[in-house]
Amino acid sequence: MARDAAATKARILQAAVTEFAAVGLAGGRVDRIAAAAAADKKLIYNYFTDKTTLFDAALQHALAQLVATVPIDEADLPGYAGRLFDYVIEHPHAHRLAMWRRLERPDAGPDDGRIYSEKVIAMLSGPPDRHQHPIPPVDLLVLVQAMAGAWSISPVQLLAADGSDPAAKSRLAEHRDALVTAVRRLIDPAT
Amino acid sequence: MARDAAATKARILQAAVTEFAAVGLAGGRVDRIAAAAAADKKLIYNYFTDKTTLFDAALQHALAQLVATVPIDEADLPGYAGRLFDYVIEHPHAHRLAMWRRLERPDAGPDDGRIYSEKVIAMLSGPPDRHQHPIPPVDLLVLVQAMAGAWSISPVQLLAADGSDPAAKSRLAEHRDALVTAVRRLIDPAT
């Protein structure tokens, strides 16, 4: 019974991730989530209170998947950036959900980022040599994450500025290389 | 009469920028835009065909204002990044509209970026020494723009990771400094 409940909750969360990533909080329909999860709508409200709470849970779920698959690696930020680039292109849900949240709830509190807080706190109180880096650890992380997701939110024209297919594998590989090089230069100017 | 029409169009565009930046394309209401612009709804459709076309015109309008205020300065990308950071925080409309577009119309064509194309083409065919930089010009521009807007789309928790008010002027100044330093290191590893 408890296992059934957990399985149902997981199905609801996955359906919520798909629905909200596609159309956002305002556009998301609990009816569609219930249908996709083969779950009763009343049960969804029973588990998640209301649509906004379900949205936050979906965002947490997607971010947890992202962080589990691509853990922040302070010792290898260029490699981390490359892996994050790959993940965001193949699994855009977490990135899209985070953008919807910033757009639709600009005044919402800091709860959506608690997935990062432990890691960030560790970085903030990290090894002393890191503190001597001209860029503070939190800024470094924010800048690296922004660069890793850059191609998924940039004006489309830039993607096709040279006239080639921006989604072509070879173009993506070039952008990934440029990203990793950029992060390497941020970390260690001698490279 | 032509001047009246131009003034009315400008009022409609400004109202459309405000409306769509706040709630996006799906959530935006032409009724509210008409009321805010003190313009007839039929006139809006007469000028802009439909809501989607009006949204695109609003995005173009906001991007044009951004580019006019903060022109891309290839010779001083760190300074450009700092100015873009200031602009996005003080005038988030263009950035928000661009994000709405990517979220709500992921398959839309490249027309929303034509404001950049001339500049990008100039950079692509720029001075030879730029071509020897390990990061291609288009990647450099995309990465710099992503970093400049990073704090406006990052998980809120990161902003408050040290417990201070993320919107505090002193914190913003620190983030701006870190950004300018980061871009300087991208450009010239000796700094």
Side-chain angles (χ1 to χ4, degrees):
Chain A
M1 193 62 174
R3 197 189 296 175
D4 280 0
T8 306
K9 267 195 183 179
R11 279 206 317 280
I12 293 169
L13 274 179
Q14 201 49 60
V17 166
T18 304
E19 171 76 5
F20 290 129
V23 295
L25 172 58
R29 293 287 166 263
V30 176
D31 283 323
R32 278 197 294 257
I33 293 168
D40 192 79
K41 199 175 160 184
K42 276 182 196 160
L43 190 68
I44 293 181
Y45 286 117
N46 194 26
Y47 285 150
F48 296 100
T49 313
D50 54 30
K51 190 168 81 162
T52 301
T53 306
L54 179 58
F55 177 89
D56 283 346
L59 174 59
Q60 281 302 314
H61 185 68
L63 285 177
Q65 284 181 329
L66 183 157
V67 172
T69 312
V70 187
I72 296 171
D73 183 355
E74 202 205 352
D76 177 24
L77 283 179
Y80 164 69
R83 290 188 289 274
L84 188 56
F85 175 93
D86 295 337
Y87 186 91
V88 167
I89 284 175
E90 280 172 38
H91 310 277
H93 284 168
H95 200 232
R96 287 179 60 89
L97 285 168
M99 283 201 288
W100 282 116
R101 188 176 196 276
R102 292 310 299 261
L103 286 172
E104 297 190 281
R105 302 172 65 205
D107 301 323
D111 53 334
D112 72 333
R114 66 174 179 266
I115 201 91
Y116 290 119
S117 55
E118 249 182 73
K119 208 75 188 188
V120 169
I121 289 163
M123 286 178 71
L124 284 171
S125 55
D129 64 326
R130 170 66 75 214
H131 281 287
Q132 283 159 24
H133 195 278
I135 303 169
V138 168
D139 288 278
L140 207 49
L141 183 58
V142 166
L143 295 176
V144 167
Q145 291 183 340
M147 287 195 291
W151 284 104
S152 67
I153 59 159
S154 289
V156 185
Q157 179 76 16
L158 287 179
L159 290 157
D162 61 358
S164 66
D165 177 4
K169 285 276 176 195
S170 64
R171 297 293 296 149
L172 283 180
E174 283 172 35
H175 297 322
R176 191 189 195 282
D177 285 350
L179 165 70
V180 173
T181 300
V183 176
R184 198 173 294 133
R185 286 167 74 101
L186 279 198
I187 306 304
D188 179 5
T191 55
Chain B
M1 194 59 176
R3 195 189 295 177
D4 281 359
T8 306
K9 268 195 181 177
R11 280 205 318 279
I12 293 169
L13 273 179
Q14 200 51 57
V17 165
T18 304
E19 171 76 6
F20 290 130
V23 295
L25 172 59
R29 293 285 166 264
V30 176
D31 283 323
R32 279 198 292 258
I33 294 167
D40 193 79
K41 199 174 158 183
K42 275 182 196 159
L43 190 67
I44 294 181
Y45 286 118
N46 193 26
Y47 284 151
F48 296 100
T49 312
D50 53 32
K51 190 168 78 161
T52 301
T53 306
L54 178 58
F55 177 89
D56 283 346
L59 174 59
Q60 282 300 315
H61 185 68
L63 284 178
Q65 284 183 328
L66 183 158
V67 172
T69 313
V70 187
I72 296 171
D73 182 356
E74 203 206 352
D76 177 25
L77 283 179
Y80 164 69
R83 290 187 290 275
L84 188 55
F85 174 94
D86 296 337
Y87 186 91
V88 167
I89 284 175
E90 281 171 40
H91 311 277
H93 285 168
H95 200 234
R96 287 180 60 88
L97 285 169
M99 284 200 289
W100 283 116
R101 189 178 196 276
R102 292 310 299 259
L103 286 172
E104 298 190 280
R105 302 172 64 203
D107 301 323
D111 52 335
D112 73 334
R114 65 175 180 264
I115 201 91
Y116 290 119
S117 55
E118 246 182 77
K119 207 77 188 186
V120 168
I121 289 162
M123 286 178 71
L124 284 171
S125 56
D129 63 326
R130 170 65 74 213
H131 281 287
Q132 285 158 21
H133 194 278
I135 303 169
V138 168
D139 287 278
L140 208 50
L141 184 58
V142 166
L143 296 176
V144 166
Q145 291 183 340
M147 288 195 289
W151 285 103
S152 67
I153 60 156
S154 289
V156 184
Q157 180 76 16
L158 287 179
L159 290 157
D162 61 357
S164 66
D165 176 4
K169 284 275 175 197
S170 63
R171 298 291 296 148
L172 283 180
E174 284 172 35
H175 297 322
R176 190 188 197 281
D177 285 349
L179 166 70
V180 173
T181 301
V183 176
R184 199 174 292 130
R185 287 167 75 101
L186 279 198
I187 305 304
D188 178 3
T191 56

